[in-house]
């Protein structure tokens, strides 16, 4: 297998990272999938063994919630928290009697001065040991944020995003009849089951087609080794040539929404939307009690990507997009119109704040 270069991982570990994840006219070719291989090809995303992920890196929660536990503010490592702990502000005031600004001379020559970007100056009163301790904690935080960023953008989370709920229904809307591309879609879901569904309490699978294919007609069931094997067997048996109706997508999602145990529905949508499907999705899926998260895969139309992204804002869900190509050009990344994942942006901003503080 050829070595895969992950640009997100490389940038996360650079000393001077430049996270430019916007769409490029001529993106680099990544050896993520090889369309010249046979139908038996697998998704080639080399990853470290799961045992290498630290426990504090892997909670399946939003970045916002994760930062409430591991962020700079929680650990009193923001610049605004550090400066009062290591010294006091050098006073520069306006003397109204003299009608001019005056500077306090208290501590002149006694303390080291730390100028801030906003023009204010702090007198540093602690010794080198205390500063080294703070430096060490900031470096630990930076390493943790890099690892979390790497975790967010690797394995099945790269192509599907992160499943955060405890009881979910996955709706598979795979329209391609190309054997190789169909197998890629199936392998993505296979990895999601093995890597993420393994962490939920209950789950179910539904295939959008003319006659709905439902793994568990009675609703979501608890995850176990037996149910995992049963789900993977069902996945292997879904029919690539199954017929479709224009209402298939909506009917499958509504069936998932009717599961009384579900906390959220994940729609894995392959390819582009027709106008009829767009109308039905907007008309039928807004206002349900469960959030609808959408994973757009291999959309070639920027309009499709933008529509699905905007739809999740109305359904209370999250949006994730990944594509292997743009036209005939392999890109293996974010398609035009998708934007950078908010959870990645939020974490990278925290990483940059830690770097700047250090």
């Amino acid at each position: 297998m050829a070595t895969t270069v992950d640009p997100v991982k490389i940038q996360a570990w650079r000393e001077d990272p430049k996270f430019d994840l916007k769409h490029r006219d001529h993106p680099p070719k990544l050896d993520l999938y090889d369309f010249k291989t046979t139908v038996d090809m697998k998704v080639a995303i080399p990853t470290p063994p799961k045992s290498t992920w630290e426990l504090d890196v892997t909670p399946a929660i939003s970045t916002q919630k994760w930062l409430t536990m591991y962020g700079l503010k929680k650990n009193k490592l923001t610049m605004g928290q550090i400066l009062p702990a290591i010294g006091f502000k050098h006073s520069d005031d306006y003397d109204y009697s003299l009608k001019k600004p005056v500077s306090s001379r208290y501590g002149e020559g006694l303390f080291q001065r730390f100028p801030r970007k906003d023009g204010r100056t702090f007198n540093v009163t602690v010794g080198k040991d205390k500063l080294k301790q703070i430096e060490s904690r900031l470096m630990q935080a930076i390493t943790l944020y890099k690892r979390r960023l790497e975790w967010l953008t690797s394995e099945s989370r790269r192509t599907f995003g992160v499943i955060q709920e405890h009881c979910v229904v996955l709706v598979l809307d795979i329209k391609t009849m190309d054997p190789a591309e169909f197998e890629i879609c199936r392998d993505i879901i296979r990895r999601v089951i093995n890597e993420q569904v393994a962490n939920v309490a209950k789950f179910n699978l539904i295939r959008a087609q003319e006659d709905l294919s439902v793994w568990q007609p009675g609703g979501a069931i608890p995850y176990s080794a037996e149910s995992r094997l049963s789900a993977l067997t069902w996945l292997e048996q879904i029919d690539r040539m199954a017929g479709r109706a224009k209402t298939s997508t909506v009917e499958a999602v509504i069936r998932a929404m009717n599961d009384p145990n579900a906390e959220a529905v994940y729609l894995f949508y392959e390819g582009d939307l027709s106008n009829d499907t767009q109308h039905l999705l907007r008309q039928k899926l807004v206002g349900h009690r469960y959030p609808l998260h959408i994973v757009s895969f291999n959309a070639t139309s920027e309009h499709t990507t933008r529509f699905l992204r905007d739809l999740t804002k109305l359904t209370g869900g999250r949006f994730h997009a990944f594509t292997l190509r743009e036209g005939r050009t392999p890109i293996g990344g974010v398609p035009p119109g998708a934007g950078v994942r908010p959870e990645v942006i939020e974490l990278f901003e925290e990483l940059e704040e830690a770097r700047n503080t250090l």
Side-chain angles (χ1 to χ4, degrees):
M1 181 184 295
T3 302
T4 302
V5 178
D6 189 335
V8 175
K9 185 181 300 184
I10 290 175
Q11 292 289 358
W13 288 91
R14 286 181 56 180
E15 289 303 317
D16 182 23
K18 295 178 177 59
F19 261 68
D20 183 8
L21 300 182
K22 62 180 181 295
H23 171 62
R24 298 178 182 277
D25 294 332
H26 300 288
K29 181 177 180 180
L30 302 180
D31 187 21
L32 180 63
Y33 299 84
D34 183 358
F35 284 98
K36 296 179 181 179
T37 55
T38 65
V39 178
D40 294 328
M41 64 185 172
K42 304 299 181 183
V43 182
I45 308 178
T47 56
K50 289 186 179 180
S51 60
T52 65
W53 296 116
E54 299 82 1
L55 290 178
D56 49 3
V57 168
T58 60
I61 55 179
S62 67
T63 294
Q64 183 179 14
K65 189 172 182 179
W66 187 84
L67 287 174
T68 63
M69 298 186 292
Y70 300 104
L72 297 175
K73 186 175 182 180
K74 171 67 176 179
N75 292 283
K76 298 182 178 180
L77 288 174
T78 65
M79 184 67 77
Q81 292 169 314
I82 290 175
L83 289 178
I86 64 174
F88 60 92
K89 185 171 68 173
H90 181 73
S91 177
D92 288 300
D93 294 316
Y94 186 85
D95 190 306
Y96 287 93
S97 61
L98 298 177
K99 296 183 180 181
K100 66 179 181 178
V102 296
S103 177
S104 168
R105 298 299 178 184
Y106 171 71
E108 189 74 32
L110 296 178
F111 306 108
Q112 288 186 328
R113 295 279 172 81
F114 176 80
R116 291 187 54 169
K117 292 181 179 179
D118 60 8
R120 291 184 295 174
T121 302
F122 270 74
N123 293 316
V124 179
T125 61
V126 299
K128 289 184 178 180
D129 289 343
K130 178 67 173 178
L131 295 176
K132 284 289 185 182
Q133 183 183 21
I134 295 173
E135 179 186 35
S136 176
R137 292 178 61 204
L138 280 169
M139 291 178 66
Q140 290 174 7
I142 289 171
T143 299
L144 178 61
Y145 300 159
K146 287 177 178 179
R147 290 291 283 164
R148 176 70 177 185
L149 190 60
E150 183 180 349
W151 180 82
L152 280 174
T153 55
S154 65
E155 300 176 334
S156 62
R157 296 171 295 277
R158 182 178 186 183
T159 51
F160 195 87
V162 179
I163 294 178
Q164 299 178 13
E165 297 80 10
H166 295 99
C167 183
V168 299
V169 181
L170 274 57
V171 176
L172 317 181
D173 197 338
I174 306 171
K175 299 172 292 302
T176 181
M177 293 186 179
D178 179 271
E181 294 189 16
F182 189 86
E183 177 59 25
I184 288 174
C185 293
R186 180 152 49 194
D187 194 62
I188 289 173
I189 303 304
R190 186 185 298 120
R191 288 184 175 231
V192 171
I193 293 172
N194 287 330
E195 297 170 6
Q196 297 199 59
V197 174
N199 299 316
V200 306
K202 293 183 178 181
F203 73 110
N204 200 1
L205 302 168
I206 298 175
R207 166 81 188 286
Q209 55 189 50
E210 191 168 8
D211 295 319
L212 288 183
S213 177
V214 184
W215 171 52
Q216 293 293 327
I221 65 171
Y223 178 88
S224 65
E226 292 76 17
S227 62
R228 168 185 163 277
L229 181 60
S230 174
L232 291 175
T233 301
W234 175 88
L235 183 64
E236 295 301 320
Q237 294 173 347
I238 60 175
D239 184 5
R240 174 171 56 88
M241 305 300 291
R244 289 181 52 82
K246 66 180 182 180
T247 58
S248 294
T249 305
V250 171
E251 288 175 357
V253 173
I254 291 177
R255 174 66 180 269
M257 292 284 188
N258 288 333
D259 190 323
N261 295 317
E263 295 178 13
V265 174
Y266 285 78
L267 171 61
F268 178 81
Y269 195 91
E270 178 271 328
D272 293 322
L273 286 162
S274 66
N275 291 332
D276 289 339
T277 302
Q278 290 180 38
H279 175 72
L280 287 169
L281 287 173
R282 188 184 295 110
Q283 184 181 48
K284 301 291 186 180
L285 299 185
V286 176
H288 281 267
R289 57 176 177 166
Y290 303 136
L292 172 63
H293 309 300
I294 299 177
V295 179
S296 173
F297 181 71
N298 260 5
T300 59
S301 165
E302 186 171 346
H303 176 74
T304 289
T305 303
R306 292 186 182 278
F307 175 85
L308 292 175
R309 183 194 63 190
D310 293 342
L311 182 63
T312 57
K313 297 176 183 177
L314 301 176
T315 62
R318 300 183 303 277
F319 177 71
H320 184 85
F322 192 87
T323 187
L324 300 178
R325 64 178 186 274
E326 182 186 350
R328 294 181 177 273
T329 305
I331 63 175
V334 181
V340 183
R341 292 162 58 182
E343 57 191 7
V344 172
I345 294 176
E346 192 173 359
L347 183 57
F348 184 70
E349 288 175 347
E350 193 82 358
L351 172 62
E352 283 296 276
E353 183 179 347
R355 285 181 181 275
N356 292 334
T357 302
L358 185 62

